[in-house]
Amino acid sequence: LWNALTGEPVAVMAPGDGFLWSAKFDPAGGRIATAAENGMVRFWDGATGAPAGELRAHDKRIWDVAYSPDGLSLATASHDNTARLWDVRDLKPRARLQGHEDWVLSVAFSPDGRRLATSSADRTVRLWDVATAASVGASNSCLPVSASKSTTPAAKTSDWRLASPCTCSGERYASLPLS
């Protein structure tokens, strides 16, 4: 953990065993979640880097974690071909998202928190309804995903898009509507 203003290290967050593959601050900045090789999510104090809990989230490597915009849910992407949703308050599972045929590499919430995007080594991006855990869309893709507001002049307030920087078909961008 680094102080962004001074560039000085604040703390070293060691996973204990294996590698850390991803680290994300919660929206308020008070907590950090890390994705570990051993299937654990570890939580850390966002100011001091002190350990603040852990969660056995998967039996295999976790590639990525993401907090929902309200900070109440955490998504995990795993080597076990699933993504999972967790309630951050009690660390209980909310949903197991199945449908990918290979490792789930990244997770991203839509800015309103109603959708979750997952990308996989199976070269697909899937879009999920967070409330029902139902798959609501899929597209071919090669790389991790992000959610962003459309920049087209005709965009409406709710016109959020899921973008993957490269598609397997050779197109520059693939996108799915998030609303």
Side-chain angles (χ1 to χ4, degrees):
L1 183 63
W2 298 84
N3 180 315
L5 297 176
T6 66
E8 296 296 317
V10 174
V12 174
M13 299 180 300
D17 55 338
F19 296 102
L20 292 179
W21 293 101
S22 175
K24 303 284 173 54
F25 277 96
D26 71 4
R31 188 181 251 194
I32 301 167
T34 57
E37 184 167 307
N38 63 0
M40 299 293 290
V41 172
R42 289 201 169 80
F43 298 97
W44 312 83
D45 182 279
T48 67
E54 63 184 22
L55 166 66
R56 164 65 66 190
H58 295 265
D59 291 331
K60 295 185 176 184
R61 174 181 299 146
I62 301 172
W63 293 105
D64 194 20
V65 293
Y67 280 99
S68 61
D70 64 9
L72 299 178
S73 296
L74 184 78
T76 55
S78 177
H79 197 80
D80 67 7
N81 303 358
T82 69
R84 296 185 186 180
L85 290 171
W86 303 90
D87 187 312
V88 173
R89 295 165 290 197
D90 60 12
L91 300 182
K92 300 241 187 252
R94 291 187 44 216
R96 183 176 183 193
L97 308 176
Q98 295 178 275
H100 286 293
E101 296 176 8
D102 208 337
W103 309 339
V104 179
L105 300 171
S106 66
V107 286
F109 280 93
S110 63
D112 65 7
R114 295 184 309 124
R115 300 280 192 254
L116 180 74
T118 57
S119 70
S120 170
D122 68 7
R123 296 182 171 196
T124 64
V125 172
R126 291 189 176 273
L127 192 60
W128 308 86
D129 182 291
V130 171
T132 65
S135 178
V136 295
S139 176
N140 289 335
S141 176
C142 295
L143 297 174
V145 296
S146 64
S148 64
K149 185 163 175 33
S150 175
T151 57
T152 63
K156 300 175 184 151
T157 304
S158 62
D159 189 15
W160 295 95
R161 306 291 291 180
L162 169 71
S164 178
C166 157
T167 67
C168 298
S169 65
E171 298 170 12
R172 180 71 177 107
Y173 287 94
S175 66
L176 293 170
L178 294 175
S179 50

